[in-house]
Amino acid sequence: MSGIADHSAIANSNSNDDLQRFLDSHFTSLESLELVGDFLRAEEHTHALLEADLETARKHTETVVGEASGVISKVNAESLRLIDLHSKVVGSSVDADVSAWQFRDGTRIMKLVASLAAGVGEHKKLSQTKAYVDVVVDVEQTKAMASQCRDEGDSPGMLAAYTHVVSLLKKSCDAESTHQAHTHLLELIKQTVLDIWKDAEDAAAKAQNAALVKLGWPGKMDMSMAAAVETFDAGFSMLLSLDCVNREYKSVLARYCPRVLGNKKSALPLEHLAKAVDIRMRYHFESNRSTNRVDRPEWWLSQMLTMARNLIPFLESHAQHVYQEAPLPRLDIRNEFLRLLQPIVQRKLVHDRPAYLKAGLVISHVARELAGFEQTLRDVYFYKGPSSLERFLSDADVFDAWMEAERATAMAAYMDTLNGPDAFELVYEDDMLGVDDAKPSRIAEKVVLLVEDMADRYSVVPSRMQRLQLLSITQFPLVIALVEDVEEEIDEFNRVTLAFIRESNIPGAFGINKSPGQTPLISQLSRLAAWYQTIWYVEEAARDWNNSPNYVDLWAAVCQRACAMDKHSDPRDWRDCCDEWNAKDRELLDDLTRQDSADSGDDWIDGGIWERSIGTLATLKKRVLDLLSKAVNSDTVGQLRAFRKKNAWATKGADSSASLRASVELSSALSGLAQLIPSLADMLPFAAFTRLMRSLSTEIDTFITDRVACAHSFNVSGGQQLTLDVETISRVLVTSAPRADLRRMPQRVLPKARECALILACAVDSNSPTLTTAGSASAIPLALSEWAHAIADTATDTQEAMLVLKKLGISHLSVKKVRKLLGNRVDFTDSSV
């Protein structure tokens, strides 16, 4: 105790010395001593905090010690368990009283644990070996059982073996291990699964196919053969059961035995039914047999249709019920079987693709037959599924080959016809068509037939974008070529003067095919009329096309695309960019359910896909008719040249009692008109002939008015002669027309010339004798002296003068013309004239 007291005294002495030095160094002044209290309080607070930390550390230490004690207890318990296990493995214990073992010696414990671990590892290896051997024996026994069942035709036994070996595969896969023995075991099970699967599937498929053959398929099937039906049911049910097993273990099989599942995407028995069709198709239509004809797609399509037609009733009435008894998802057997035929069709198309690319026109035949095949499936068997036709035409190379072949063939046929000597000759006789119908030339008929044939061929194309491309590449160029060729002919015609043509007597000169009895003029006019008939016939055909359902549908697609791209764009410009169309354009054009804003659609509701072509043809037709009218008018005016030069209109001393006759100078013109007008009526449709006659009448009317009546001096006798001449010309113009409705109103012909003649033939005064000849007396009721002064007076208001003339029956001549005519009357003088 004295030692401890001395130690404390020394410690206190040292502490006091330290405190003395601390105070001397930090508190040297009176002011600093006043801070000692604050310093002590701060130190006390620090001391309290240190005490709290010390208590927390003490509690944590107690917790750790408790956990360590628990761990030690667990180690002791696990050691006892290992000793127990060691006793069971070895058969006895080193110490009879295990619980009395002492574990104070750590070295001894570690040796014991090592010995126990070695024994446990050996036991585990032996257990794994035993399990491996058991699985191998089970697999081999299952394989032997499957072989025996196969030889005995025991389908349920094979199904049981397959199910068992697949379950073994699943268990082996669940027991994940990287040991080499496990890998070998897994390979053994996988191979066994494949072998048993192949045997079971082949046996069931052979039974199913053999039963079908016994029932008469691929011909008509005889359902009265009960044994064959029973065999089919067994094979069909076996395949369904195998399918059920595959569906149950699908994830395992997909990972370790993908060949079992293969590319099968339908019920297993239906896959084998489609395979039976496929085998027959390959044999007959993909081999070196004579039935393998690329240009005869109807052969293999009709064969497929026949096989399906003979099998589908059996599937609907019998196989559907067998399928429904299996625990499989609901399935329409008929539609699924038809869907499985589509890959066979597509493979055949791929097989023949190189030949299609070399013979592009065959593609249109294949497309039509495919469309008919699929239409039958949809209409008769209510098929719903993918289209082989769409997939076939989605091949850009195939579609381009078709378009190019169509274009080249059509243009070659067009050029052959155009280069023929009878290209613009009319095809039909006059009595075969009405006067109001267009009469086609050979080239016009060829163009129309080519366009309509191509439209008929590609009408089966499902894609509206592809139909528009065919229209742009194959059909429009034909119409454009015709327009350009006719325009070239017209330009050549314009280089040759009409007068020179009339002088030419060389048959065939300048394109004139002169028929017997025809003048060069008639021959040339026939040529112009043939061009007119050609253009008119194609224009009328284009108008019909524009309103046909096929082209109306295409026009709706074009408007739909234009609205979607730009509401202010003109849908008629679609041809400018159709070569650059992409997937977006196809989506817009082929989407039948798309509804864009109706405002823009209404803007083009009266348009059409052929609208611009119709406008081009109409313009060219008018140009030809104008040229025809110009030629006729020029010729007629030339024939009236002698009549214009006649100067005997005011001859004095004319015999008033003599009967007047038509002027001799008109004889050539009248005979020419009498021959020309019926020819024109035969050459042209009635509407064109009417317009031409109206133009001719106007030309003659103006010629007589300006070049004869207003250009020469007349007396009443000359006026009577002019009246007769005008009526004679009118009668020739009217009576030469082929239809009665043109002959009803002869007074409407040459109205101005008729009024000129009436004025020039009007009596001077009421006392003057009136020359009376048949049909030539003036119809003006008053003599010149009674009304001419008022008209001739330039101070007379024009409107009043027109009213006076109208009452006299003069309504087509101007006041100026009437004054001119009055001035030409040499037997009537008035100072104001």
Side-chain angles (χ1 to χ4, degrees):
M1 293 293 293
S2 60
I4 296 174
D6 293 340
H7 181 73
S8 299
I10 294 171
N12 290 333
S13 175
N14 292 334
S15 299
N16 292 333
D17 293 340
D18 293 337
L19 179 62
Q20 183 65 39
R21 285 193 298 271
F22 179 80
L23 292 174
D24 291 340
S25 60
H26 289 83
F27 301 98
T28 56
S29 63
L30 181 62
E31 289 81 4
S32 60
L33 289 176
E34 293 177 356
L35 300 176
V36 172
D38 295 337
F39 175 75
L40 292 176
R41 283 191 295 273
E43 289 297 325
E44 288 176 357
H45 177 69
T46 303
H47 180 73
L49 293 176
L50 292 175
E51 289 288 341
D53 292 340
L54 180 61
E55 182 65 21
T56 301
R58 185 183 60 78
K59 291 181 179 180
H60 178 69
T61 302
E62 291 177 354
T63 302
V64 172
V65 171
E67 291 177 354
S69 299
V71 171
I72 293 172
S73 299
K74 289 181 181 179
V75 170
N76 288 336
E78 184 66 17
S79 299
L80 293 174
R81 190 187 68 76
L82 291 174
I83 293 170
D84 233 2
L85 182 60
H86 182 269
S87 299
K88 293 179 183 179
V89 173
V90 177
S92 64
S93 178
V94 177
D95 191 343
D97 188 3
V98 177
S99 60
W101 282 26
Q102 301 296 321
F103 295 98
R104 292 190 181 94
D105 189 355
T107 304
R108 184 181 177 187
I109 292 173
M110 295 305 295
K111 289 181 179 180
L112 177 60
V113 169
S115 176
L116 292 174
V120 171
E122 187 68 23
H123 177 264
K124 185 176 181 181
K125 290 179 181 179
L126 293 173
S127 299
Q128 289 177 344
T129 303
K130 182 178 182 301
Y132 179 85
V133 172
D134 290 342
V135 173
V136 171
V137 171
D138 194 359
V139 170
E140 293 297 329
Q141 290 176 349
T142 304
K143 185 187 298 185
M145 182 183 71
S147 299
Q148 182 179 356
C149 293
R150 179 196 61 197
D151 298 337
E152 296 175 355
D154 183 5
S155 297
M158 293 192 69
L159 178 63
Y162 178 69
T163 305
H164 180 66
V165 75
V166 173
S167 65
L168 289 178
L169 177 63
K170 185 177 186 306
K171 290 179 182 178
S172 299
C173 295
D174 292 340
E176 296 183 359
S177 174
T178 58
H179 197 277
Q180 188 175 3
H182 181 267
T183 304
H184 293 328
L185 179 62
L186 193 60
E187 290 297 326
L188 175 64
I189 299 175
K190 286 164 56 178
Q191 187 60 45
T192 305
V193 169
L194 290 173
D195 293 341
I196 297 177
W197 159 259
K198 186 176 183 301
D199 292 341
E201 183 188 26
D202 290 348
K206 287 178 181 178
Q208 176 178 275
N209 293 336
L212 286 177
V213 174
K214 289 181 181 179
L215 291 171
W217 189 79
K220 293 184 178 180
M221 301 178 66
D222 183 7
M223 299 292 296
S224 63
M225 302 177 66
V229 173
E230 185 177 350
T231 303
F232 175 84
D233 290 349
F236 194 87
S237 300
M238 178 63 179
L239 291 172
L240 287 177
S241 300
L242 291 173
D243 209 2
C244 291
V245 175
N246 289 347
R247 288 174 181 270
E248 181 180 355
Y249 296 98
K250 183 177 181 180
S251 59
V252 176
L253 293 172
R255 181 179 178 183
Y256 294 100
C257 292
R259 284 193 294 170
V260 171
L261 300 179
N263 295 323
K264 301 177 179 64
K265 299 179 180 179
S266 182
L268 194 57
L270 294 182
E271 292 274 359
H272 282 280
L273 289 176
K275 186 177 180 181
V277 175
D278 190 28
I279 291 173
R280 289 168 172 80
M281 287 293 297
R282 289 176 184 270
Y283 177 75
H284 290 289
F285 303 106
E286 295 183 26
S287 62
N288 294 327
R289 298 177 64 85
S290 60
T291 50
N292 183 16
R293 291 278 301 274
V294 176
D295 59 337
R296 290 291 184 269
E298 63 273 17
W299 287 3
W300 58 273
L301 287 171
S302 62
Q303 182 64 23
M304 288 191 68
L305 202 56
T306 300
M307 288 190 284
R309 184 185 298 115
N310 292 332
L311 183 58
I312 285 177
F314 175 71
L315 295 179
E316 290 180 317
S317 62
H318 186 77
Q320 183 73 53
H321 301 292
V322 178
Y323 178 86
Q324 290 174 352
E325 295 175 359
L328 290 170
R330 181 177 178 81
L331 183 67
D332 184 351
I333 293 291
R334 178 197 63 235
N335 193 77
E336 187 65 13
F337 173 71
L338 294 176
R339 187 186 68 80
L340 292 174
L341 295 183
Q342 299 302 318
I344 303 175
V345 174
Q346 293 165 10
R347 193 201 64 249
K348 169 63 177 171
L349 294 173
V350 172
H351 178 270
D352 294 340
R353 182 177 182 272
Y356 295 155
L357 296 179
K358 295 178 182 178
L361 285 183
V362 177
I363 299 174
S364 67
H365 184 40
V366 175
R368 175 165 292 279
E369 294 299 328
L370 270 177
F373 173 76
E374 294 185 352
Q375 188 67 33
T376 301
L377 296 186
R378 287 191 295 268
D379 294 347
V380 179
Y381 302 110
F382 307 103
Y383 168 68
K384 297 178 180 178
S387 170
S388 296
L389 176 60
E390 290 184 11
R391 182 167 180 176
F392 175 60
L393 294 180
S394 65
D395 187 333
D397 293 337
V398 170
F399 185 69
D400 291 344
W402 181 12
M403 283 198 302
E404 177 58 26
E406 288 280 8
R407 185 200 63 79
T409 304
M411 290 304 297
Y414 169 80
M415 293 306 299
D416 288 344
T417 305
L418 180 67
N419 294 330
D422 55 352
F424 288 96
E425 289 186 6
L426 301 183
V427 179
Y428 305 110
E429 299 294 336
D430 294 343
D431 55 354
M432 297 181 64
L433 296 171
V435 293
D436 296 327
D437 297 329
K439 300 174 183 178
S441 62
R442 297 190 183 279
I443 189 63
E445 186 180 51
K446 175 60 71 174
V447 169
V448 171
L449 288 177
L450 287 172
V451 170
E452 292 180 348
D453 287 347
M454 285 188 288
D456 182 64
R457 283 195 291 272
Y458 75 68
S459 62
V460 300
V461 176
S463 170
R464 294 196 288 185
M465 187 186 83
Q466 289 183 327
R467 278 186 279 151
L468 284 167
Q469 289 175 330
L470 279 164
L471 171 64
S472 175
I473 298 299
T474 63
Q475 293 175 295
F476 280 154
L478 282 176
V479 178
I480 294 173
L482 177 65
V483 170
E484 291 176 349
D485 289 330
V486 173
E487 286 180 338
E488 185 178 352
E489 292 286 333
I490 292 174
D491 294 339
E492 181 65 24
F493 177 85
N494 286 332
R495 295 190 189 100
V496 183
T497 63
L498 184 62
F500 185 76
I501 293 174
R502 290 186 57 84
E503 297 294 332
S504 175
N505 292 319
I506 304 175
F510 305 101
I512 303 174
N513 295 322
K514 183 178 177 182
S515 301
Q518 280 190 345
T519 64
L521 175 65
I522 297 297
S523 297
Q524 188 65 6
L525 294 180
S526 298
R527 184 183 181 191
L528 289 170
W531 296 342
Y532 183 89
Q533 293 277 15
T534 297
I535 298 301
W536 186 40
Y537 183 76
V538 177
E539 179 195 0
E540 291 297 308
R543 293 184 186 278
D544 293 338
W545 301 334
N546 212 38
N547 297 322
S548 65
N550 179 37
Y551 294 112
V552 169
D553 181 56
L554 296 181
W555 177 245
V558 168
C559 293
Q560 178 175 283
R561 175 189 172 276
C563 178
M565 301 296 289
D566 182 3
K567 293 185 179 181
H568 302 290
S569 62
D570 189 340
R572 294 174 297 182
D573 297 333
W574 67 272
R575 285 194 63 198
D576 300 337
C577 58
C578 69
D579 294 337
E580 302 173 358
W581 281 345
N582 52 29
K584 180 181 179 181
D585 296 293
R586 180 162 190 162
E587 180 182 355
L588 292 173
L589 292 167
D590 292 348
D591 187 2
L592 301 178
T593 62
R594 184 183 181 88
Q595 294 293 335
D596 290 304
S597 64
D599 326 349
S600 60
D602 293 342
D603 295 341
W604 305 102
I605 195 169
D606 294 329
I609 208 76
W610 288 93
E611 181 179 350
R612 285 189 170 173
S613 297
I614 293 172
T616 302
L617 291 167
T619 301
L620 182 59
K621 182 182 69 174
K622 183 179 182 300
R623 183 184 176 190
V624 175
L625 187 60
D626 291 344
L627 188 59
L628 192 62
S629 177
K630 179 181 178 181
V632 171
N633 293 346
S634 298
D635 178 75
T636 303
V637 169
Q639 294 290 327
L640 291 173
R641 187 180 298 111
F643 182 67
R644 176 178 64 84
K645 293 180 179 180
K646 179 180 178 180
N647 292 317
W649 301 107
T651 304
K652 296 182 179 181
D655 188 0
S656 62
S657 63
S659 296
L660 297 176
R661 295 180 180 180
S663 299
V664 177
E665 292 83 357
L666 280 178
S667 58
S668 176
L670 294 176
S671 62
L673 288 173
Q675 181 183 8
L676 178 62
I677 293 174
S679 300
L680 291 174
D682 292 337
M683 297 175 191
L684 298 171
F686 179 72
F689 173 74
T690 303
R691 288 194 292 271
L692 189 64
M693 289 300 297
R694 186 181 298 115
S695 174
L696 177 60
S697 175
T698 302
E699 185 71 19
I700 296 175
D701 195 23
T702 303
F703 178 83
I704 294 176
T705 301
D706 296 340
R707 308 297 294 277
V708 178
C710 293
H712 296 281
S713 298
F714 286 83
N715 57 18
V716 66
S717 176
Q720 289 284 350
Q721 181 64 53
L722 181 62
T723 301
L724 178 60
D725 291 342
V726 170
E727 291 176 353
T728 302
I729 296 173
S730 301
R731 186 164 52 252
V732 171
L733 291 174
V734 172
T735 56
S736 300
R739 286 174 54 156
D741 49 359
L742 292 178
R743 299 195 291 267
R744 292 173 186 167
M745 303 295 289
Q747 63 274 18
R748 293 184 179 179
V749 181
L750 309 181
K752 292 191 293 184
R754 187 181 298 276
E755 291 178 2
C756 289
L758 293 178
I759 293 173
L760 294 175
C762 183
V764 176
D765 53 44
S766 58
N767 296 323
S768 301
T770 303
L771 296 177
T772 57
T773 58
S776 63
S778 174
I780 296 179
L782 301 177
L784 287 177
S785 59
E786 299 180 46
W787 60 271
H789 300 286
I791 300 300
D793 188 0
T794 56
T796 304
D797 182 68
T798 303
Q799 295 297 329
E800 293 180 0
M802 291 296 295
L803 290 176
V804 173
L805 292 174
K806 188 172 183 181
K807 290 180 180 179
L808 296 174
I810 309 298
S811 58
H812 294 86
L813 295 176
S814 64
V815 175
K816 183 178 180 180
K817 289 283 186 183
V818 173
R819 289 171 178 168
K820 176 65 175 176
L821 293 172
L822 292 176
N824 289 348
R825 285 291 300 269
V826 296
D827 53 352
F828 174 73
T829 57
D830 186 88
S831 59
S832 62
V833 176

